Structures are given as structure tokens and as C-alpha cells.
Amino acid sequence: SAYSLLLQSYNARETVINDQNKKAAIKQQFKAEFELKENLLKLKEQKDKAIAAAEKKRQKIILYFSI
């Protein structure tokens, strides 16, 4: 019947929309995780640079006072 076909069409459309929404949510989650990891790597790099700069400064002070 026409009602049955209309109901099947509606259900099929809802399934497609739900699948699209799931894919969009997964994509957003992956993006957020990637950005978090990227930010953590940048912070680690900044920390490593700061530690290296502090060590270099410490070595200069030791060298200055040992002369």
C-alpha cells in the first residue's frame, strides 16, 4: 500500500540521516583527539626547549665562575 511505501521511505531516510550523523560525530571526535595530541606535542616541545635553554644558561654560569 501507499502508506507502507511511505513508511519504508521515511525509515530509509532516517537510517541515512542517522548514519550521516554518526559519521560526523566520529569525525569530530577524531579531530578533537588529533588536536589534543598535536597540542600535547607542542607543549612537550616548548618544555624541552625551555629545559635546554635553562641548561645552557647553567653551563654558561658554571663556565663563567670557573674561570
Side-chain angles (χ1 to χ4, degrees), residues 2-34:
Y3 177 75
S4 176
L5 290 175
L6 181 62
L7 193 56
Q8 287 176 355
S9 173
Y10 175 77
N11 287 336
R13 191 183 91 206
E14 285 298 309
T15 300
V16 169
I17 291 171
N18 286 339
D19 287 347
Q20 290 172 343
N21 288 341
K22 285 179 189 177
K23 286 179 184 178
I26 291 170
K27 184 177 180 180
Q28 186 64 32
Q29 182 179 358
F30 279 130
K31 182 181 176 186
E33 289 175 5
F34 174 79

Side-chain angles (χ1 to χ4, degrees), residues 55-67:
E55 179 61 23
K56 186 175 180 180
K57 185 176 180 180
R58 188 178 78 81
Q59 291 294 332
K60 282 183 179 180
I61 291 170
I62 291 171
L63 182 63
Y64 177 76
F65 284 110
S66 64
I67 295 177

Side-chain angles (χ1 to χ4, degrees), residues 37-55:
K37 288 178 183 178
E38 198 173 49
N39 288 336
L40 288 174
L41 285 174
K42 286 179 184 178
L43 287 173
K44 184 182 181 317
E45 184 178 306
Q46 290 174 353
K47 176 185 157 195
D48 291 346
K49 284 181 180 181
I51 290 171
E55 179 61 23

